[in-house]
Amino acid sequence: MSNLKEICSGLPLDPLPPTRGRDPNVPHAPVRTPNLTAQEEQLALRNALRYFPPSHHATLAPEFAQELRQYGHIYMYRFCPTLRMRAYPIDQYPCRTRQAAAMMLMVMNNLDPTVAQFPQELVTYGGNGQVFSNWAQFHLVMHYLSEMTEEQTLVMYSGHPMGLFPSLPSSPRAVITNGMVVPNYSSRDQYEKMFALGVSMYGQMTAGSYCYIGPQGIVHGTLLTVLNAGRRYLGTDDLRGRVFVTSGLGGMSGAQAKAAVIAGCVGVIAEVDEAPLRKRYEQGWVMEVTSSLEQCIKRIRETKSTKTPLSLGYHGNVVDLWERLLQELEKTGDLLVDLGSDQTSLHNPFNGGYYPVPLSFRQANLLMSADPDRFRSTVQESLRRHIKAINKLSDAGMFFWDYGNAFLLEAQRAGAEVTKADGGATEFRYPSYVQHIMGDIFSLGFGPFRWVCTSCDPKDLAVTDDIAAKVLEEITASMSDRIKQQYSDNIRWIKEAGKHKMVVGSQARILYSDQKGRIRIALAMNQAVADGRVSAPVVISRDHHDVSGTDSPFRETSNVYDGSAFCADMAVQNVIGDAFRGATWVALHNGGGVGWGEVTNGGFGLLLDGSDQAEKRARLMLSWDVSNGVARRCWSGNANAYETIQRTMEENRQLRVTVPFPVQDERVLDHVLQG
């Protein structure tokens, strides 16, 4: 498997590739503990072998059984390609349609070792965000895509390619579902079994939808969060000399170091696993690394004094860091941290998403598989210590927020003191960043819009950056002050994006925009492809974490207060609507961000190939993809969403949305209910 043609030729069976085991030079996923019965182990093995002719079963069965017992899942390491996994220029893929080639590029980018967290386990980010469940599925998907015509759709069931089915040229070329489990059976323990059996998969958000663009994908959102936190909590746009403490330097959390420096502050980020810490340092995302708490305190004091931006990676447990900062406060009276958060993967707390004190990284991994119950109790005790230190620092004046990673949810389940007095079901002592910092931008229609230049040419990315900046500047002239601030932040971002060297993997970019901005940028890029200013098609997409893409009561919809925060109609409707309005592919997932069973989310990819048809698709689909969520937020009683959807209806007379009539006299309710 030394070239793309061989990768796309299907499963390599004659002969079988040699068994090489796991590559010791790349990081690997923690051992899973599905606790299968003997009968379930047989079923898992049977399910894995059905990808292969019976003539190979005697050879493959022993190694698959060993993988299942040693790692808790059958990844089929034998079939991991030797070809360098990365995004190749679109014209190099052996395909019948460029839409299929674009998907192949995006799939391979998600598995690029510089991008993916655990590439051999097909995990892109978040500790368990799978692209596929095993390597047989990868080979089959690449083969199907190479054979696909514009009258076929690839149907994906939780990593498994069900096949190519006849469809229309206007239909999506792929429809993806991940983790769609009957609700009463969507528990973590049942997930572990289903994943081990090979029948379901956790696709996170953009891992299983093939739309991840490396840590850059969250840098911009993190930057906006830090900037807006400064405005809201500290009353300033100038964050020089301010200190932001958090944890995690993995697939998504790796963005925090870069965002802190761009914002101008001092970012101190704890990471227990040396592999991602070194990876971010070598990529230039972390400026300094230390395993000394004393050095952390020293560098914080120095950079606070000189107001020098810094990203400092602390190789150690974030609980130790918080407790050391508290010790410094109690000893000297100096509060050394202004802003705090957390991006450990607490959607997956007991299987490698959170490493507890006082265990080392290695000790935790051993205990995780040897004694899961003891590991669980150790995690929960660590969370209680974690919160205790944060509470005391917050009482002294630090501002802390939950980053939508289930940190406060799991802390509450562990018995930590995070309950908000008289709070609702989605409220804690500290706000979600959606509730306090970013929530209003969703109601204004702003969210993470992104694109990938399929030429893989940095020159094309520079051209698209210029196009986006010019479009936003043109729109800004006629905007209200509230929206103008959002546009100004994004114009600054896109103009400086190139110099910050954020590309890891595909030539991609992200910015936050509303419906008008997204449509105009997409149309301008499509025209640039048509007239040759951009040398190859552009894929547009977004994070599932967006205006309409995700129903998540502890994150994206945590500021929906009409009782519908736990309802998932918006995300499901969004995927259906994108599919018949022109998306090249769509995906609907259970889980993502906050975790399995806690979220329903979806996304899309759309290929801009310079055609009139692509322009029509982009205009129609992007309008729906934003207005759906704004309409839902309007109906829930959000005043900003009401203004946004009213303005959108004035601009598009075909749009007619049911808007609410608020109760103006609360005494009417009191009188009737008391009576």
Side-chain angles (χ1 to χ4, degrees), residues 258-272:
K258 178 73 79 171
V261 172
I262 298 173
C265 67
V266 178
V268 183
I269 304 96
E271 172 59 64
V272 293

Side-chain angles (χ1 to χ4, degrees), residues 6-134:
E6 290 182 10
I7 287 284
C8 296
S9 62
L11 274 166
L13 300 175
D14 188 18
L16 290 172
T19 181
R20 297 180 304 276
R22 303 210 305 182
D23 182 352
N25 298 313
V26 298
H28 291 282
V31 174
R32 311 190 74 91
T33 53
N35 296 318
L36 300 183
T37 64
Q39 186 176 10
E40 288 168 337
E41 284 186 335
Q42 281 197 348
L43 182 57
L45 193 56
R46 184 181 295 113
N47 287 347
L49 290 172
R50 61 185 167 178
Y51 285 101
F52 305 94
S55 58
H56 292 302
H57 288 184
T59 301
L60 297 176
E63 67 187 66
F64 288 175
Q66 182 182 0
E67 286 185 22
L68 181 63
R69 288 176 171 167
Q70 188 171 356
Y71 306 120
H73 187 74
I74 300 171
Y75 296 104
M76 306 183 186
Y77 291 113
R78 177 194 287 262
F79 296 94
C80 181
T82 56
L83 178 70
R84 167 76 163 85
M85 198 68 65
R86 66 176 177 87
Y88 290 86
I90 189 170
D91 290 338
Q92 293 186 20
Y93 290 97
C95 288
R96 297 181 179 183
T97 166
R98 277 188 156 184
Q99 293 179 328
M103 282 188 276
M104 296 168 88
L105 180 154
M106 302 289 277
V107 165
M108 292 189 72
N109 185 68
N110 272 23
L111 295 170
D112 182 338
T114 67
V115 173
Q117 185 178 12
F118 305 124
Q120 284 204 308
E121 286 76 42
L122 303 106
V123 172
T124 301
Y125 71 93
N128 59 351
Q130 304 283 150
V131 186
F132 304 110
S133 179
N134 59 58

Side-chain angles (χ1 to χ4, degrees), residues 106 205-206 209-213 217 447-451 509-511 518 539-550 570-571 574-575 578 586-587 601-606 621-622 624-626 628:
M106 302 289 277
M205 290 192 165
T206 53
S209 67
Y210 321 145
C211 292
Y212 191 64
I213 61 169
F449 177 67
R450 54 178 61 166
W451 63 90
R509 190 68 77 217
I510 184 172
L511 58 77
R518 297 184 206 204
V539 172
I540 59 170
S541 182
R542 57 162 170 75
D543 197 344
H544 297 196
H545 163 70
D546 194 22
V547 181
S548 311
T550 298
M570 178 179 72
N574 213 66
V575 169
D578 284 351
V586 293
N601 65 89
F604 72 88
L606 197 161
M621 199 216 71
L622 291 174
W624 158 256
D625 195 66
V626 177
N628 172 39

Side-chain angles (χ1 to χ4, degrees), residues 268-288:
V268 183
I269 304 96
E271 172 59 64
V272 293
D273 185 354
E274 188 175 12
L277 178 59
R278 288 292 167 189
K279 184 177 182 178
R280 297 302 173 216
Y281 178 69
E282 290 166 3
Q283 291 172 340
W285 288 57
V286 173
M287 296 165 65
E288 297 179 14

